[in-house]
Amino acid sequence: GNKIMIEKTTKIGKLLELFPEKADILIEAGMHCLGCPASQAETLEEACQVHGIDVDALVEELNK
């Protein structure tokens, strides 16, 4: 089927809306601010830059 792929440009709010079960992966990666309003409008790439996380590795993990 048409699986929705998570990308660097995916906004965190949208990601959590579509895949709430992925929150654990983000938290394990070091994003502990998922509930804060600013994170909802941030892309994965922006959030990774702030937290010093490898965005490519995270996107790969999220799409497993």
Side-chain angles (χ1 to χ4, degrees):
N2 279 348
K3 183 173 183 270
I4 297 172
M5 295 299 285
I6 297 166
E7 299 170 3
K8 293 180 194 186
T9 54
T10 303
K11 295 209 185 298
I12 291 175
K14 190 70 177 165
L15 188 161
L16 294 174
E17 185 184 313
L18 294 172
F19 309 105
E21 72 280 3
K22 303 283 187 187
D24 289 346
I25 295 172
L26 296 178
I27 291 167
E28 281 172 28
M31 290 184 196
H32 301 285
C33 57
L34 296 180
C36 85
S39 76
Q40 301 299 301
E42 268 186 341
T43 65
L44 272 177
E45 190 165 34
E46 289 164 345
C48 284
Q49 285 171 346
V50 171
H51 293 283
I53 297 166
D54 180 342
V55 66
D56 295 311
L58 183 61
V59 167
E60 191 178 325
E61 180 69 25
L62 287 167
N63 279 309
K64 282 184 182 167

